Amino acid sequence: MSSDATPDPYVDPLKFGQRMQVLRERRGMSRTVLAGLVGMSASWVKRVENGQLQAPGLDMVLRIAEALRVRDLADLTGRHDRHVDMFIGPGHPRLAAVRAAIDSYPYTADREAASAAHLQARLTRAWTARHEAPHHREVIGRLLPDLIRDAQLAVKQAERPADWRAAQALLAEVYSLSQFFVAYQPDSSLLWRVAERGLIAAQQSEDPHAVGVAAWLMAQAHRDSGPAHYDAADAVNLETLAYLEPLLPDACDDVLAIVGALQFEAGYTAARRGHTGTAWRYWDAARSVAERLPETYYHPVTSFSRAIMGAHAVTVAVELHAGPESVRQVARADAMTIPSRPRRARHRIEEARGFQLDGQPDVAIATLDKAYEAAPETIRYNGYAKRIILEESESKVTGRRRRACELAVKIGMLAA
C-alpha cells in the first residue's frame, strides 16, 4: 500500500478517530453533516478524528454508527471480539431459495404460465399473510420462490401487448413483496437487483400504481444507503410524483394512496437531512391526501392510510432527533389502529427511539417489548432496536439492564 493510500478500517489497527474519519469519507459525508446528525459541533468531530479527544462513550459511539450507517459496530470501534450487526440481520434461512429464484433466467419451460387472475389471488394472499403473521418473513419467504418464477414465466409467455403489460405489473408487485423480505438481509446487491427489476417491470407495465409502488421502494433503498444517496432518493420520489399528480382528479384509492406514501417518503428524507420545515410540509401534504381516502382504507404495500399518519409523525420527529416532539407525537398516535403486525412493530420501534431521545430508556425498552409481541421478525432485523437494546444492556441501572438483556436474548442478540 502506498503511503498516501486511504487506510482500510477493516484491516489496519486504526484508532477510533481514524476509523471514524475513514468511514465518514467513504460515505462522502462532511464533518459538518456528521456533527449535525449526532448533535455535536464540526470542531468536536475534527478533534475526535485527530485523536485530540478520546473515543466517546457507548451512547455517542452508537449514534455515530447509526449516522454513518455502519453495518457492524466492530468496523467503527475496532473491537473485533464484539460484533454487532447494526442494520443487517443475520440472514433468514429462506434467503438462499429466494435469491436463487430472483437470479434464475429460465429460457425454456415445460408448463403453461398461471393465469393473471391466479397470480393476483396468490399475491393477495401473500400480502395478507405478510401483514397478519408475526413471523412474516418466514411466511413470505416460503411463498416467494414459486411466485417469482411463475410471474417471470407469465411475462415470457404473454402473447398480446395488453397481456404482457398486465404480466409486467404483476411481476413488479412480486418484486415489491420480495424487497420487503430482502431488506436488512446480508446481501445488499440482491436488494438493489430486486429494486431495479421491480421499477423496470413497473415502467414496462405502464400502470401508474405499479410505477408508484416500485418508485416508493427504490427511494427507500437510496435513502437507507446513506446521505450520499439522498439526492437520488429525492429524484425518484419527485419525478414519480410529477408523473402521478396530474392523475389525481380521477385517481382510484390505490393511486391516491401511493401519491400520499411518496409525499411522506420525501418528508422522511428531508428529516434525515435535518430539514425540519420541508419534512413537516411533506408530512402535511401526505395527511391531506390521506383525508381523501375512506376511513377504513389501508394500502396493502405501503400501509398508507388515515391511521398511519400518526405513526409517520413520530418518524419525522425521531429522524429530526427531536426528543420532546417525538414523545408528543407518540401520545397522539394510536398504534392499535395499524392493522399490519410488522408495520405496528415498526411503529413501536420508532416510539422507542423517541423515548430514548427524550431520556426515557425504561419506557423505550418496554415499548420494544411491545414491538416484539407484534412481530418478532421485525425487531430481530431492525438496527435501531438493536442499538437501543445494546446500549441499555450495559446500563448501570440493574432492573433496566436485566430487561434489556432479556429482550436481547429473545431476539437473538445474546445467548440464553
Side-chain angles (χ1 to χ4, degrees):
M1 179 182 290
S2 64
S3 60
D4 59 349
T6 302
D8 188 342
Y10 306 101
V11 178
D12 297 339
L14 303 176
K15 294 181 180 179
F16 176 86
Q18 293 173 302
R19 302 174 79 87
M20 186 173 88
Q21 180 176 358
V22 171
L23 293 166
R24 174 180 62 77
E25 290 176 347
R26 287 188 175 184
R27 280 287 180 197
M29 186 185 297
S30 70
R31 284 173 175 153
T32 302
V33 170
L34 177 58
L37 290 173
V38 300
M40 302 298 286
S41 66
S43 61
W44 179 88
V45 172
K46 182 177 180 179
R47 291 198 302 275
V48 172
E49 291 181 347
N50 290 344
Q52 295 172 323
L53 293 176
Q54 292 183 345
L58 179 60
D59 178 57
M60 180 56 70
V61 168
L62 291 168
R63 289 167 68 182
I64 293 168
E66 179 179 324
L68 294 175
R69 305 295 290 174
V70 172
R71 297 297 187 185
D72 186 338
L73 195 62
D75 297 336
L76 178 62
T77 64
R79 288 283 304 276
H80 291 286
D81 59 335
R82 182 167 191 173
H83 292 277
V84 177
D85 292 322
M86 295 294 291
F87 293 93
I88 289 185
H92 195 278
R94 296 192 180 274
L95 177 61
V98 173
R99 183 194 294 115
I102 291 169
D103 288 344
S104 65
Y105 288 95
Y107 289 98
T108 60
D110 56 1
R111 60 191 176 89
E112 185 177 349
S115 68
H118 179 69
L119 281 173
Q120 186 60 69
R122 288 164 62 190
L123 260 173
T124 299
R125 288 196 297 272
W127 283 117
T128 299
R130 183 197 175 259
H131 290 302
E132 294 181 353
H135 297 282
H136 51 92
R137 285 181 188 271
E138 171 63 24
V139 174
I140 64 173
R142 187 168 60 247
L143 297 173
L144 273 173
D146 287 342
L147 262 175
I148 293 166
R149 294 188 184 96
D150 289 351
Q152 290 172 337
L153 185 62
V155 170
K156 186 177 180 62
Q157 292 187 0
E159 296 179 353
R160 296 185 306 169
D163 294 337
W164 183 81
R165 288 193 295 271
Q168 290 284 10
L170 285 169
L171 179 59
E173 188 175 346
V174 171
Y175 281 135
S176 296
L177 181 64
S178 301
Q179 192 165 336
F180 280 95
F181 176 84
V182 172
Y184 301 109
Q185 299 288 313
D187 192 341
S188 57
S189 64
L190 181 63
L191 175 67
W192 282 108
R193 289 200 296 282
V194 170
E196 289 169 355
R197 290 182 192 177
L199 190 53
I200 291 170
Q203 290 171 336
Q204 291 177 331
S205 77
E206 300 179 5
D207 181 292
H209 179 253
V211 170
V213 170
W216 180 78
L217 286 163
M218 177 63 80
Q220 290 190 2
H222 279 299
R223 187 191 62 235
D224 289 345
S225 295
H229 296 260
Y230 290 170
D231 287 346
D234 283 336
V236 172
N237 242 326
L238 299 181
E239 287 172 12
T240 308
L241 282 170
Y243 162 66
L244 292 174
E245 284 174 342
L247 307 178
L248 287 182
D250 301 314
C252 64
D253 288 341
D254 284 348
V255 172
L256 194 63
I258 198 60
V259 168
L262 286 164
Q263 288 172 331
F264 168 70
E265 286 302 315
Y268 195 151
T269 305
R272 281 270 175 93
R273 293 181 187 270
H275 297 171
T276 303
T278 302
W280 286 114
R281 176 169 58 82
Y282 275 117
W283 178 86
D284 197 53
R287 181 182 60 178
S288 295
V289 172
E291 289 173 350
R292 294 173 57 184
L293 293 167
E295 189 171 354
T296 57
Y297 175 87
Y298 200 80
H299 191 266
V301 181
T302 68
S303 297
F304 192 81
S305 59
R306 293 189 188 186
I308 208 67
M309 292 313 300
H312 282 341
V314 174
T315 295
V316 169
V318 167
E319 291 295 340
L320 289 168
H321 301 281
E325 178 63 18
S326 300
V327 172
R328 190 175 76 85
Q329 293 297 342
V330 167
R332 296 179 63 184
D334 182 1
M336 297 313 296
T337 63
I338 302 173
S340 168
R341 277 181 172 266
R343 188 61 185 86
R344 190 159 69 246
R346 164 74 186 281
H347 173 54
R348 291 299 193 192
I349 293 168
E350 296 293 275
E351 288 184 326
R353 293 177 68 195
F355 287 122
Q356 189 80 350
L357 283 168
D358 197 48
Q360 302 184 54
D362 289 306
V363 183
I365 291 297
T367 305
L368 289 178
D369 263 319
K370 294 179 181 179
Y372 182 84
E373 292 170 7
E377 287 194 339
T378 294
I379 187 172
R380 186 169 291 130
Y381 290 87
N382 188 281
Y384 297 118
K386 291 159 75 174
R387 178 183 70 81
I388 295 172
I389 294 167
L390 175 64
E391 179 179 342
E392 299 309 328
S393 69
E394 295 191 352
S395 171
K396 295 180 180 179
V397 180
T398 303
R400 184 187 309 156
R401 182 174 65 250
R402 176 181 54 77
R403 289 190 296 274
C405 289
E406 288 172 352
L407 187 53
V409 169
K410 284 197 290 187
I411 70 171
M413 287 179 66
L414 295 175

